[in-house]
């Protein structure tokens, strides 16, 4: 008799765990493919002094991709505009997809215990997708990889100009 109840309890617990697992999988953010970007704005701070921020902004204007770059420690007036070709933008979209940036949507987290930390924000728009995320001393998955990639790929274009 006791074994019957033990089997029922274990079966109930396993069923409950299975239901919880299914719910978690259904509620996890799904990847949406980033493609045909019309606007991308990524910025972050690099310290606490004047001009301690970086900006990369891409806009599709009259069928041309215009990149605005402002490196750290330079004033806003020093920002440069550079035309990108479609191949460059596709490479950026592929890298954002590789790092699952669409899962960042609605990530808006702040560490309330830090008073002089760093922050970031990102906004991406296409015809059928909009992603918005920001953080203050809190970062989504793959943040450092995305930042490093954009610094290398887009930041280097400022130096080439």
């Amino acid at each position: 008799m006791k074994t019957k109840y033990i089997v029922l309890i274990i079966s109930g617990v396993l069923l409950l765990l299975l239901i919880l697992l299914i719910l978690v999988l259904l509620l996890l953010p799904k990847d949406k493919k980033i493609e045909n970007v019309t606007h991308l704005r990524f910025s972050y701070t690099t310290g606490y002094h004047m001009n301690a921020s970086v900006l990369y902004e891409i806009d599709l204007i009259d069928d041309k991709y215009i990149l605005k770059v402002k490196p750290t420690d330079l004033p806003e007036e020093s920002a440069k505009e550079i035309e990108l070709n479609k191949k460059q933008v596709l490479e950026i979209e592929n890298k954002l997809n590789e790092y699952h940036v669409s899962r960042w949507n609605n990530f808006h987290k702040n560490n309330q215990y830090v008073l002089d930390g760093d922050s970031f924000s990102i906004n991406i728009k296409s015809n059928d997708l909009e992603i918005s995320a920001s953080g203050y001393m809190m970062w989504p998955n793959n943040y450092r990889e995305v930042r490093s990639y954009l610094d290398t790929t887009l930041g280097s274009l400022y130096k080439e100009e």
Side-chain angles (χ1 to χ4, degrees):
M1 186 82 154
K2 288 182 180 182
T3 54
K4 182 177 176 182
Y5 289 120
I6 292 173
V7 169
L8 282 174
I9 290 171
I10 291 173
S11 298
V13 168
L14 289 175
L15 182 61
L16 185 61
L17 288 174
L18 180 63
I19 291 170
L20 286 173
L21 178 64
I22 292 170
L23 286 174
V24 166
L25 291 175
L26 289 174
L27 295 176
L28 280 176
K30 304 289 185 250
D31 273 347
K32 293 181 182 172
K33 188 167 184 179
I34 298 170
E35 58 187 355
N36 302 315
V37 168
T38 58
H39 174 77
L40 183 149
R41 185 180 200 282
F42 179 73
S43 64
Y44 64 91
T45 58
T46 59
Y48 324 112
H49 55 283
M50 186 190 311
N51 301 315
S53 64
V54 173
L55 170 68
Y56 304 117
E57 188 166 19
I58 300 172
D59 283 299
L60 180 61
I61 303 169
D62 298 326
D63 291 329
K64 293 181 182 178
Y65 289 99
I66 306 301
L67 165 68
K68 180 179 180 180
V69 180
K70 191 218 85 69
T72 191
D73 300 327
L74 294 177
E76 183 71 31
E77 301 81 47
S78 297
K80 292 183 181 179
E81 288 190 353
I82 302 158
E83 186 175 341
L84 299 177
N85 60 47
K86 182 65 176 170
K87 182 179 176 186
Q88 290 170 301
V89 174
L90 283 173
E91 180 185 314
I92 294 165
E93 290 172 348
N94 288 336
K95 194 56 83 169
L96 296 176
N97 286 317
E98 179 182 326
Y99 289 126
H100 309 285
V101 172
S102 68
R103 292 183 186 174
W104 294 10
N105 194 35
N106 294 321
F107 179 99
H108 300 287
K109 296 185 179 182
N110 298 297
N111 185 333
Q112 63 184 356
Y113 302 108
V114 180
L115 300 177
D116 56 358
D118 290 326
S119 62
F120 86 97
S121 70
I122 189 167
N123 292 290
I124 301 172
K125 293 180 185 176
S126 69
N127 293 334
D128 54 340
L129 181 67
E130 192 164 335
I131 298 167
S132 174
S134 63
Y136 174 76
M137 293 306 293
M138 296 188 84
W139 326 105
N141 291 337
N142 300 318
Y143 168 79
R144 300 225 186 278
E145 292 84 355
V146 170
R147 176 179 154 175
S148 177
Y149 169 76
L150 293 175
D151 284 341
T152 301
T153 304
L154 301 178
S156 66
L157 294 176
Y158 186 92
K159 297 168 188 157
E160 292 175 11
E161 281 292 305

